[in-house]
Amino acid sequence: MKYRQLTKEQFESLHEEFAKFLATQSIDAREWTEIKEEKPMVAEEELNIFSDLVWDDVLSKTKYIEHFSKTKVNLFKCDATEIHRIAIQVTWDIDLLAQEGFEWLMQNPMDNSVEIFKGSKPYNDDRNLEIFDLIEKGSTISKGEIFEYFSQLI
């Protein structure tokens, strides 16, 4: 397995897509029930294959991800061959996870207590695996507005 298996909630929200996936392998609903009961290892493998397909599709389309903590923000732009990062740190006691803290940062990006660093690097290995690793560590996929806002400032 390349990534990780989707959660139960993710499978439930993708039940139509999963049914189509099974249909491409000539497995109907009755047959799927039999496989789950009689061949749980085969069922698990089908779930793993489907999970990898979904993750690959989502990660291939991912252009921006971001990670917020109380005093730090990491913004990433994921190009085809390299990843760009804007790291922001606030040096006074503020909570960027709270609405007020985030709004303060957006209104005061050039304040002396705000440190901004920018860098880029090629992917070490597989682009999607590196993005997946950042997501597993707490990053979320975004539309990139915050990255582009700070990118224009620096």
Side-chain angles (χ1 to χ4, degrees), residues 43-83:
E44 195 70 18
E45 186 59 28
E46 292 297 332
L47 295 172
N48 290 344
I49 292 168
F50 179 74
S51 293
D52 278 350
L53 290 171
V54 170
W55 277 115
D56 255 336
D57 184 52
V58 168
L59 296 168
S60 293
K61 294 175 184 173
T62 298
K63 301 289 182 219
Y64 297 93
I65 54 177
E66 55 194 28
H67 186 273
F68 283 81
S69 67
K70 189 173 178 187
T71 60
K72 297 178 183 175
V73 178
N74 281 288
L75 307 168
F76 301 93
K77 181 176 182 181
C78 310
D79 287 342
T81 58
E82 63 183 0
I83 189 164

Side-chain angles (χ1 to χ4, degrees), residues 1 33 39 44 51 59-60 67 99 108 110 128 151 154:
M1 176 159 218
T33 303
K39 301 175 186 171
E44 195 70 18
S51 293
L59 296 168
S60 293
H67 186 273
Q99 186 68 29
N108 301 282
M110 303 313 281
N128 288 358
S151 184
I154 54 178

Side-chain angles (χ1 to χ4, degrees), residues 27-135:
I27 300 173
D28 61 21
R30 179 194 55 75
E31 206 172 345
W32 177 242
T33 303
E34 279 179 27
I35 291 172
K36 287 192 299 184
E37 291 171 3
E38 298 170 15
K39 301 175 186 171
M41 296 299 284
V42 173
E44 195 70 18
E45 186 59 28
E46 292 297 332
L47 295 172
N48 290 344
I49 292 168
F50 179 74
S51 293
D52 278 350
L53 290 171
V54 170
W55 277 115
D56 255 336
D57 184 52
V58 168
L59 296 168
S60 293
K61 294 175 184 173
T62 298
K63 301 289 182 219
Y64 297 93
I65 54 177
E66 55 194 28
H67 186 273
F68 283 81
S69 67
K70 189 173 178 187
T71 60
K72 297 178 183 175
V73 178
N74 281 288
L75 307 168
F76 301 93
K77 181 176 182 181
C78 310
D79 287 342
T81 58
E82 63 183 0
I83 189 164
H84 310 277
R85 176 182 178 201
I86 298 175
I88 303 163
Q89 181 168 346
V90 180
T91 59
W92 64 281
D93 192 26
I94 188 172
D95 188 355
L96 298 174
L97 297 172
Q99 186 68 29
E100 311 84 53
F102 175 73
E103 287 174 3
W104 180 89
L105 175 63
M106 296 305 283
Q107 293 166 3
N108 301 282
M110 303 313 281
D111 188 272
N112 286 340
S113 65
V114 178
E115 298 174 350
I116 303 174
F117 307 95
K118 187 176 184 181
S120 299
K121 73 169 194 74
Y123 298 107
N124 291 328
D125 192 23
D126 179 281
R127 174 192 184 274
N128 288 358
L129 280 173
E130 287 194 39
I131 296 169
F132 178 77
D133 183 54
L134 289 169
I135 291 171

Side-chain angles (χ1 to χ4, degrees), residues 4-14:
R4 70 162 165 77
Q5 195 175 91
L6 298 172
T7 64
K8 183 180 179 193
E9 293 80 17
Q10 290 168 325
F11 272 117
E12 287 171 0
S13 69
L14 294 168

